[in-house]
Amino acid sequence: MRRRDILALFAGALASRPLPATAQPGDRVRVIGVLIGLTEKDPENPLRIANFERGLRDLGWIDGRNLRIHYRFGADADRLQASARELLALQPAIIVASSSFVVFELLRLTQTIPIVFVTAADPIGDGFVSSLARPGRNVTGFTSNYESMGGKWLELLMEIAPNTDRVAVMFNPATATGSRAYFFPAFESAARSIAVTPVGMPVHNAAEIEPVLAAFGRAPGGGLIVTPDNFAAVHRGRIVAEAARQRVPAIYSLRYFATEGGLMSYGVDLLDLYRRAAANVDRILKGASPADIPVQVSAKVDLVINLKTANELGLAVPRIMLARANEVIE
Amino acid sequence: MKTPRAGTKPITPAQTRGGLFRKYIVFFVAVVFLALAANGPIDIWFSYQEQRASLVHSQREQAEAAAARIGQYVKEIENQMGWMTQLPWSASTLEEWRFDAVRLLRQVPAITELARIDAEGREQARMSRVAMDVVGTQSDFSHDPKFVQTMASKRYNGPVYFRRESEPYLTLAIAGARRDNGIVVAEVNLKFIWDLVSEIKVGKRGYAYVVDADSRLIAHPDISLVLRNIELLELAQVRAAQLSSNEVPPEEDQVGTDLQGQKVLTAHARVPSLGWLLFVELPVAEAYAPLYVSIMRSGVLIVAALVLAALAGIFLARRMVVPIRALRDGAARIGSGDLNQRLSIDTGDELQALGDQFNIMAAKLQDSYANLESKVDERTHQLEVANQAKSRFLAAASHDLRQPLHALGLFVAQLRGRIRAAERDRVVGRIEAAVAAMNELFNALLDISKLDAGVLIPNVTTFPAAQLLSRIETTFAESAREKGLSLRAVPACAWVRSDFILLERILLNLVSNALRYTTHGGIVVGCRKRGGQLRIEVWDTGSGIPQDQREKIFGEFYRLGEPDHDRRAGLGLGLAIVDRLCRLLNYPIALTSTVGKGSCFAVTVPIGDARGRSVDVPVPIRVPRDVSRGKLVVVIDNDPLVLDGMGGLFRSWGCGVVTADTDGAAITGIADCGHVPDLIISDYSLTNGKTGIDVIARLRDAFDTPIPAFLMSGDTNPEPLQEARASGFHLLHKPVDPMTLRAMVNRMLKNDAAARVRL
């Protein structure tokens, strides 16, 4: 009798043994880091985190069970460096970077740990990847890179504010890196084709925002384009406020500008990208190399119009613009 | 059932140890194993087929669904685009165009660019999601395939191409209902199709992918593969799918290979209107994983079942084999003599019945052994009694022999001395009497021996009883008168069917006894008819026989009380002979007696069928005419005294005699005489184990004539009597009285002469 029982147990165990398969989430707790180039208390953070974690959960990674996610923040280079060091000390398998600026700072510290950027305007130009199809090193991610976007932003701005005769592109030379060079040519040629003066507006630090904008806004007929830039994201409040004060219509590249008072934004859905970044994280955790994961171009660009701001600026939003808008904030 | 060969050794317990036991278990386990082993693979085989079919079916359904969705998706885009060519370019304003384009871009996020080309092939407007809109470029697309083909077939889709090496795009073009309307061209980002394909999940490691009409991979969960722009014609299933029509592919196409060369279960569907193929594939290893698990389970189950079967087999075999062993051991013990063995088998089935039968058999064996033993004891006792009787017989015989021998010695001694003629005659008479007494004893012994040997064959004839009675009377008249007794035979007219001589013997002995044991009065012999038979009675007025001795008197050498001290003292054998004769002839003998008054012995004999019969009475031997004078007689005996005596006697009769102790010596002796002997007389038992029969035969051979011969023997054992009877020679028993001898000699010579005369 005893022998039979033992045998039955043994049999049961054998029968229910799972098949050897590829490493499943759940084998052991993996560690990843997320470095966001905003201040820790930025209200954007929870949304980003939520989307990211949702994306991971859909793929079977659950923070606290088979995954340990460490979030670090840094609004400027120094802070970012410190946070990056902290993250690296935790020996993560991957670090998710919120923008090209963060990638830059990370690449100063590591050339081996896989980095997934959620958005980068020009990863090729910035040297992160050798080509979109084959990144070739430890960095991959998502891009909304359309160098022709400059022309589109201009077109949209002109549509909402037809009286604009000069348009400036704000950027921080330190953080925007290749952005200026990237978007500017299309912008410039587009501007000239419609007899608008293109202006470059470098801003070096937060303190310069107000004076620069004030100087620009003194003369009427000015329009502003804020290209993708970590600096702008960090200080969006001030930029938006100053632009409003100066009564300068502005178009931004990310939604939260518009929601926080900017006139409009036309660009990628960042939160969606955070969700999609989870797929890359999943692939890398399962053994893929970032060198082989192509950089994905996001074609989903949304137009967000803040009608309130438009009204404050005394702008009438044309019908076609409303038709085009993906989101209208009132 | 084969009977064992005589002399084969029974199989030893050591040889059988565990034999039956093992057989049962092995058989049991083998049966279970075969059943399971047969069932398992069959089951698994069918299960494999069904599993595969079901998987492929489900995959095909998924492929069909996904392909339909893609087709649908594209169709939707085309439908939406179709709106834009409802009217010719010139018919609508730029504003209207822009509005329509914006709406289209809103509704179809996949479209990145829209271009409106008029009926002449010139681009009139272009709207982009990511670039500035342009109007009126007038670029000439009249020779561009997209313009030409769309105008021709109303719709067009270009090959999948990649922007910036990383984004798949498809050019779709739709023409208006009228040729004048021109066409609209859209650049459609296929990312959405990638998402759709990536969402298709089959099992854990199944996936879907799409190839275009040129078998180039255009969608795959692994984007990098797509971006490599590879062609998949190397894969068999792709080739087959390209070649086949839209029908269900045959069974053989269910298994294909993936890019790594591993086998996959594959199903595909065609995307309508685009000519693309969507494949849904599952690695065979995963598809069959449940089967492997099932096989493993079956294996474990078989092992478990075998163990169970072995245990059950052990249990059952033990139940069977233990009682069988008990039976074997019990039988062995009984075989070695321990009959007290009893088995106790309590299985409640046939084995118990067998055990009970075994016990019954053992009990019966025990009983019969006990019986046998008691029978053996009884028989031994009987033999002892008989032995004792024999010893007594011998003792008495030797005793009774001594008397006359003693007397004989005295008389012979007397003759040696000087004695007168009258005294000499008297002494010779006494010698003759002593010899006669010894003869009588030997005759009586011979009779008993003959009767015991069963050599006497009754010669049954029918004769008048009166004849027998008168002879009896005649024989004993003188003796009776001497004793002063009356002897009377009652006249009878009955006839008797019996052996004359043997019946005479019976009566002689009875009357002789009566005479001996009666001192006064008389003896009467008579016949009486009783119940169809004749009762011959001998009455005497003797002393009677006490009750307790009525059985014993029929025993050998039993003499009742105080016999008459007469020179002819009884031997005690008379009634013994009567008893045997009556048994032989099967006549009941009855005795009534009163002590002091007398006795009556009665023999019941069958009545013979009467008259018309001539009396057939054997004539007693008389002294015949002497034919022996001058004949040559050969006497062979190993006793020199006998030879001497025989020789002397024959010479006194006037015969020639040759005496010898062996046939060789006889032949020599005969040769000295010079002619063929006329008679051979030989002792039965000679030296060196030769018998008289052999000697006679040799002599007959030597002279090549059937010389008359007879045997003589001192043997009273039954074998020589029987052999002699079988040989056909007459046999005389020593001591033979001279008269009898002479009669036999004369008879033999007479017969021979008669025979010769006849020849």
Side-chain angles (χ1 to χ4, degrees), chain B residues 368-380:
Chain B
S368 59
Y369 266 31
N371 268 351
L372 267 174
E373 277 168 10
S374 67
K375 278 192 190 143
V376 163
D377 285 341
E378 205 187 295
R379 193 50 66 91
T380 314

Side-chain angles (χ1 to χ4, degrees), chain B residues 292-336:
Chain B
Y292 298 146
V293 171
S294 170
I295 289 173
M296 179 99 99
R297 272 199 209 111
S298 287
V300 167
L301 200 69
I302 286 179
V303 167
L306 283 178
V307 167
L308 185 62
L311 289 173
I314 288 172
F315 174 68
L316 274 173
R318 196 182 294 279
R319 279 197 59 122
M320 286 264 239
V321 168
V322 164
I324 289 175
R325 281 205 193 123
L327 278 167
R328 177 200 65 195
D329 292 339
R333 275 196 286 274
I334 286 191
S336 64

Side-chain angles (χ1 to χ4, degrees), chain B residues 307-627:
Chain B
V307 167
L308 185 62
L311 289 173
I314 288 172
F315 174 68
L316 274 173
R318 196 182 294 279
R319 279 197 59 122
M320 286 264 239
V321 168
V322 164
I324 289 175
R325 281 205 193 123
L327 278 167
R328 177 200 65 195
D329 292 339
R333 275 196 286 274
I334 286 191
S336 64
D338 179 8
L339 287 178
N340 279 324
Q341 241 351 276
R342 295 288 179 272
L343 301 173
S344 77
I345 294 173
D346 273 325
T347 59
D349 59 9
E350 286 86 335
L351 287 170
Q352 185 173 359
L354 183 59
D356 292 341
Q357 281 302 318
F358 190 85
N359 289 342
I360 291 171
M361 176 195 80
K364 284 202 176 137
L365 266 175
Q366 220 174 10
D367 281 345
S368 59
Y369 266 31
N371 268 351
L372 267 174
E373 277 168 10
S374 67
K375 278 192 190 143
V376 163
D377 285 341
E378 205 187 295
R379 193 50 66 91
T380 314
H381 179 72
Q382 278 178 356
L383 276 174
E384 277 170 6
V385 167
N387 220 19
Q388 282 169 6
K390 277 263 156 58
S391 305
R392 276 206 312 275
F393 190 93
L394 275 173
S398 83
H399 172 266
D400 287 344
L401 203 50
R402 282 178 200 280
Q403 308 287 56
L405 267 174
H406 174 71
L408 206 54
L410 294 173
F411 293 135
V412 165
Q414 228 182 328
L415 274 180
R416 280 206 175 279
R418 262 220 272 212
I419 125 187
R420 292 193 305 271
E423 187 64 22
R424 194 189 60 186
D425 286 337
R426 193 188 69 88
V427 169
V428 166
R430 280 281 171 271
I431 290 173
E432 277 178 343
V435 169
M438 288 197 292
N439 255 343
E440 193 188 324
L441 173 64
F442 277 112
N443 281 336
L445 285 176
L446 178 62
D447 285 345
I448 295 222
S449 179
K450 274 191 195 167
L451 283 165
D452 281 345
V455 174
L456 282 179
I457 296 173
N459 180 21
V460 176
T461 54
T462 310
F463 53 88
Q467 197 172 353
L468 185 65
L469 294 180
S470 72
R471 279 171 69 100
I472 303 287
E473 208 178 353
T474 314
T475 310
F476 288 103
E478 186 61 32
S479 311
R481 201 172 31 252
E482 276 179 20
K483 281 191 80 170
L485 301 168
S486 74
L487 172 63
R488 194 165 73 86
V490 174
C493 49
W495 283 60
V496 172
R497 184 163 176 74
S498 177
D499 182 313
F500 189 90
I501 295 177
L502 296 182
L503 187 55
E504 185 188 20
R505 198 60 201 274
I506 291 171
L507 293 174
L508 279 174
N509 284 9
L510 285 175
V511 172
S512 162
N513 263 11
L515 278 173
R516 200 171 289 134
Y517 288 91
T518 307
T519 49
H520 54 268
I523 293 120
V524 178
V525 183
C527 303
R528 219 194 285 262
K529 282 198 185 144
R530 276 254 193 273
Q533 296 196 303
L534 196 65
R535 202 165 184 240
I536 307 175
E537 296 167 356
V538 176
W539 292 86
D540 71 58
T541 56
S543 48
I545 302 156
Q547 183 74 28
D548 59 341
Q549 292 185 33
R550 284 188 196 169
E551 286 291 325
K552 294 182 189 171
I553 54 173
F554 287 98
E556 299 100 351
F557 295 114
Y558 194 89
R559 284 177 276 228
L560 188 61
E562 291 264 328
D564 188 6
H565 293 290
D566 178 313
R567 68 168 194 278
R568 293 187 61 209
L571 297 164
L573 290 173
L575 281 179
I577 292 171
V578 165
D579 177 51
R580 280 169 171 72
L581 281 169
C582 285
R583 269 188 232 269
L584 175 65
L585 293 165
N586 204 16
Y587 299 153
I589 183 160
L591 166 62
T592 47
S593 178
T594 316
V595 174
K597 276 273 185 73
S599 317
C600 167
F601 285 83
V603 174
T604 310
V605 304
I607 294 184
D609 187 21
R611 349 211 138 120
R613 279 186 188 266
S614 57
V615 177
D616 190 20
V617 175
V619 178
I621 295 167
R622 309 192 298 276
V623 179
R625 253 182 354 104
D626 195 6
V627 289

Side-chain angles (χ1 to χ4, degrees), chain A residues 11 19 148 152 155 159 266, chain B residues 98 128-131 133 300:
Chain A
L19 298 161
S148 54
K152 197 70 184 177
E155 179 191 315
E159 212 164 87
Y266 187 66
Chain B
R98 289 189 76 226
S128 166
R129 213 182 276 274
V130 295
D133 299 343
V300 167

Side-chain angles (χ1 to χ4, degrees), chain B residues 691-711:
Chain B
T691 62
I693 299 166
D694 301 331
V695 162
I696 293 169
R698 269 214 64 192
L699 286 171
R700 278 180 168 181
D701 275 343
F703 292 98
D704 201 24
T705 41
I707 305 167
F710 64 89
L711 296 163

Side-chain angles (χ1 to χ4, degrees), chain A residues 3-4 7 11 14-15 17 19 24 131-133 145-146 148-149 151-152 155 159 190 193-194 266 276 283 292 294-297 299 301 319-320 323-326, chain B residues 95 98-99 102 106 109 112 127-133 164-167 169 189 191 195 204-205 221-224 227 289 293 296-297 300 303-304 307-308 311:
Chain A
R3 253 192 300 170
R4 236 176 6 127
L7 260 166
L14 268 180
R17 204 166 54 125
L19 298 161
Q24 300 287 340
S131 77
L132 294 180
N145 90 2
Y146 294 97
S148 54
M149 220 40 150
K152 197 70 184 177
E155 179 191 315
E159 212 164 87
S193 71
I194 53 170
Y266 187 66
R276 284 153 150 268
R283 281 186 71 181
D292 296 325
V295 177
Q296 292 181 51
V297 181
V301 281
R319 203 165 55 99
I320 194 167
R324 225 202 260 263
N326 294 88
Chain B
E95 247 354 90
R98 289 189 76 226
F99 215 89
V102 161
R106 270 294 272 130
T112 307
M127 176 162 278
S128 166
R129 213 182 276 274
V130 295
M132 202 167 180
D133 299 343
R164 275 178 294 267
E165 300 167 21
S166 76
E167 281 191 288
Y169 272 88
N189 187 321
K191 202 64 178 309
D195 290 342
K204 288 203 187 80
R205 288 181 291 168
D222 182 2
I223 300 161
S224 56
L227 295 175
V293 171
M296 179 99 99
R297 272 199 209 111
V300 167
V303 167
V307 167
L308 185 62
L311 289 173

Side-chain angles (χ1 to χ4, degrees), chain A residues 26-44:
Chain A
D27 282 12
R28 58 180 208 272
V29 176
R30 312 295 294 275
V31 175
I32 62 173
V34 177
L35 188 55
I36 296 179
L38 298 172
T39 58
E40 196 162 341
K41 295 207 177 40
D42 196 307
E44 261 293 293

Side-chain angles (χ1 to χ4, degrees), chain B residues 189-228:
Chain B
N189 187 321
L190 290 183
K191 202 64 178 309
F192 297 92
I193 295 185
W194 282 3
D195 290 342
L196 192 148
V197 159
S198 299
E199 276 166 26
I200 295 178
K201 290 268 176 278
V202 188
K204 288 203 187 80
R205 288 181 291 168
Y207 54 89
Y209 62 91
V210 184
V211 298
D212 69 3
D214 298 323
S215 300
R216 286 190 313 141
L217 184 68
I218 57 174
H220 195 280
D222 182 2
I223 300 161
S224 56
L225 277 179
V226 181
L227 295 175
R228 276 197 241 139

